[in-house]
Amino acid sequence: MLVVKSRNKKRPRVLDRDKTDLDEADGLPYGGCYVDAIVQLWGQTYEGIPRLNNALEAVRFRRDGEAFGAAPVDPDEFDDLDDEDDDRGSRRRGRDRDDEDDDRGSRRRGRDRDDEDDDRGSRRSRSRDDDDDDRGSRRGRGRDRDDEDDDRGSRRSRDRDDDDRGSRRSRDRDDEDRDDDRGSRRGRDRDDDDGDRRSRRSRDSEDDDVDRPSRNSRARDRDDRDDDRRSRRRRDHDDI
């Protein structure tokens, strides 16, 4: 067997068995059917290479064969699609109804629950009010007790303050007495220091008085010696 692949840039002529023209709407020919084909052959040298060309000129349908791939589409299949759409619409309607019924039931249940919650809330509010009243009475009693405790505490604190003040006063007095004793001691020490200093000064002055005559006599002796030396020098000078 020989396989020849042929084509043409222009649309080839397509005919039926009776040589009538066929369109695409006729569905003929199709892949896998038997046809008669007119092919034009010619030789050519292209870029130094010899080759054999062909062009498809005309095709005539001969008989049916096993289709390649999927079979041709049957227009009746659209009816099945329409039936499926109707079934889907009915199902959707049924679902919508069921959803509406569920919504109504849920709303009724929600209303019933809200009513129950309102009843519970009213009961709770009543119980809370009663509890608040009881707590208020208890708080009032507690406040009275706290006021009494505060009065007792204030009294005790006052007594403690008085005691602290008395103790502080006694301590201040003791501190003042101690300061007086220290001041008297300091005065005595100062008097003693002043007496010692005066006695030392008098002694030093007496010693100075004793030392002054001796110093004066020594100075006189020096002066006499210097005079003698001067007189001797004068005599020696006169003799020379």
Side-chain angles (χ1 to χ4, degrees), residues 153-169:
S154 63
R155 291 176 184 175
R156 291 176 182 176
S157 63
R158 290 175 184 175
D159 295 333
R160 290 177 183 176
D161 293 334
D162 294 333
D163 294 334
D164 293 333
R165 291 176 182 175
S167 62
R168 289 177 183 175
R169 289 177 183 176

Side-chain angles (χ1 to χ4, degrees), residues 34-68:
Y34 294 91
V35 298
D36 296 329
I38 298 173
V39 179
Q40 182 181 0
L41 300 173
W42 73 93
Q44 176 184 354
T45 300
Y46 179 73
E47 294 181 355
I49 298 173
R51 58 185 298 179
L52 182 63
N53 296 328
N54 65 79
L56 183 62
E57 297 293 337
V59 176
R60 184 179 70 175
F61 177 75
R62 177 178 286 275
R63 62 185 175 87
D64 293 327
E66 186 178 357
F68 299 153

